[in-house]
Amino acid sequence: MHDNVLLRLLLVFVPLSFLTVGGGQSVVSDIHRQSVDVYGWLTDAQFLDLFALSRMTPGPGSLLVTLVGWQVAGWAGALLASLAIFAPSSLLVYGLARLWTRYRGAPWQRAVELGLAPVAAGMVLAAAFTVLSAAEGGVLAWIVAGVSAAVLLTTRASPFLLLGGGAAAFLLFRY
Amino acid sequence: MAGVRTDLTTEGAVSAPDKTPDLGAIFLAFAKIGLTSFGGGLSGWMLREFVQNRRWLDEAEFLNGLSLAQAFPGVNVVNLAVWIGYRLRGGRGSLVAVLGMVVPAMFVAIGAAALFAHLSRFHATHVVLAGIGAAAVGLSLQMGVRAARRAARSAMPVAIMAAVFLAIFAFRLPLLWVVLVAAPASIAWAALHPPARAGRRA
């Protein structure tokens, strides 16, 4: 039975590893559907707690998957779920990195790099804007993000300073 | 390797990675990012740490890795860790980078799960986290601006960038489809319009 759950974790998260494009957020709804609706591993409230937790702690947001695994099957579950979500796509990128080094400077490689550059820039900016428009804090969130981006672009200030500043601004105006 | 890059024109960009770090240093650097990146924005942290502070990579090389990490399946920041690790120290570098980024943060997350009931009871916790989160978006934003400046070499890339931005942010189209359409189109255009030879070799 227990082994069965571990196997299921693998079967659920390995495909999600490949479906994650442009950041972990894109598969959160799928993780929710599988672990709450399909397999009933968690209640809705438990899922939301784990989601909030994954946002609250440092590190990749996709550690949500680790937490789901942990909740479902303890340490073995955490380990397996993490492997399932991180390893397959990492191997793919590893292969890509080898290929890139081998054909360094090839014209097709140049074209791929130049072609992907505007796509990636658009994705990064869109992701930032999407997060901000959904963020608690409304206008203040935009101001804090805008100011910290401007500071990072023009000075060598530590990001810690900015995170602290953001926290302080919110405590001052929103608490 | 040292001192060859002088053609970078973007302000704030730094050139010439001058030393190759060992595996321990790579692990620690990624662990630091995994453990300090409250509120997200990990790629922005990486840009700050590896390009601007430690100078292990130059900005062009980092942004190329970012493009590939974004366009390929997988968790972006982990993809980027694989890429940077490989560039620094080959296969072992990749492995160490991913482990450094994920494993310590994993222990923190699981530890926090046990304390969660406590923490979330305080309203201040949420307010502070929202503020940190907003500032962390600033990290992504500055990286987006740097990436946009570099990508905007002519009208077409600018149009593609704007289309991708609007498709995702304004029209909320699924990322997968946006990438599947925009990436091949943009690569095809770039293949047909190579930059002038004298330009920047990124």
Side-chain angles (χ1 to χ4, degrees), chain A residues 2-82:
Chain A
H2 196 64
D3 293 322
N4 226 335
V5 170
L6 293 179
L7 188 66
R8 287 247 172 85
L9 282 171
L10 273 182
L11 291 179
V12 166
F13 290 131
V14 166
L16 286 185
S17 175
F18 290 113
L19 285 177
T20 315
V21 168
Q25 296 314 309
S26 52
V27 287
V28 168
S29 64
D30 245 9
I31 297 172
H32 174 262
R33 195 175 61 81
Q34 300 269 20
S35 50
V36 176
D37 302 338
V38 177
Y39 291 103
W41 289 330
L42 309 166
T43 66
D44 233 346
Q46 279 176 318
F47 181 85
L48 285 177
D49 275 358
L50 293 185
F51 178 67
L53 201 66
S54 70
R55 301 295 310 269
M56 194 182 278
T57 51
S62 12
L63 285 176
L64 169 62
V65 168
T66 306
L67 291 175
V68 171
W70 183 70
Q71 188 90 11
V72 174
W75 286 99
L79 195 67
L80 227 68
S82 312

Side-chain angles (χ1 to χ4, degrees), chain B residues 3-201:
Chain B
V4 285
R5 309 243 7 175
T6 45
D7 58 341
L8 282 182
T9 48
T10 321
E11 302 91 303
V14 223
S15 55
D18 44 21
K19 51 187 185 290
T20 310
D22 62 30
L23 291 174
I26 295 174
F27 182 87
L28 288 179
F30 278 91
K32 180 183 165 194
I33 289 174
L35 290 174
T36 53
S37 54
F38 288 94
L42 274 83
S43 340
W45 275 99
M46 284 195 244
L47 173 68
R48 199 71 177 169
E49 189 70 17
F50 298 136
V51 177
Q52 291 158 354
N53 290 345
R54 296 180 192 252
R55 307 194 180 189
W56 286 351
L57 300 160
D58 64 40
E59 189 176 287
E61 199 172 4
F62 180 92
L63 290 175
N64 278 336
L66 177 76
S67 304
L68 290 159
Q70 287 272 344
F72 272 75
V75 178
N76 277 336
V77 293
V78 175
N79 284 356
L80 191 54
V82 172
W83 183 268
I84 294 176
Y86 190 84
R87 276 293 152 108
L88 296 174
R89 277 275 160 184
R92 283 193 235 168
S94 289
L95 185 65
V96 161
V98 172
L99 290 179
M101 167 158 276
V102 171
V103 174
M106 184 176 133
F107 282 107
V108 171
I110 292 177
L115 299 169
F116 181 61
H118 273 309
L119 286 173
S120 62
R121 207 174 295 146
F122 302 109
H123 177 53
T125 310
H126 292 288
V127 175
V128 165
L129 287 169
I132 290 176
V137 177
L139 273 164
S140 309
L141 217 50
Q142 63 109 11
M143 186 179 64
V145 170
R146 286 179 199 275
R149 274 201 301 229
R150 184 170 289 274
R153 59 191 181 99
S154 66
M156 192 53 151
V158 171
I160 291 169
M161 193 155 61
V164 168
F165 175 81
L166 289 175
I168 297 168
F169 174 63
F171 300 109
R172 308 279 151 126
L173 298 178
L175 274 171
L176 187 61
W177 294 111
V178 174
V179 173
L180 284 179
V181 172
S186 182
I187 291 169
W189 189 87
L192 296 173
H193 300 80
R197 263 274 141 237
R200 2 161 116 177
R201 160 79 185 93

Side-chain angles (χ1 to χ4, degrees), chain A residues 136-156:
Chain A
E136 312 172 36
V139 181
L140 185 60
W142 288 89
I143 294 172
V144 166
V147 168
S148 64
V151 170
L152 288 166
L153 281 168
T154 51
T155 73
R156 301 185 52 84

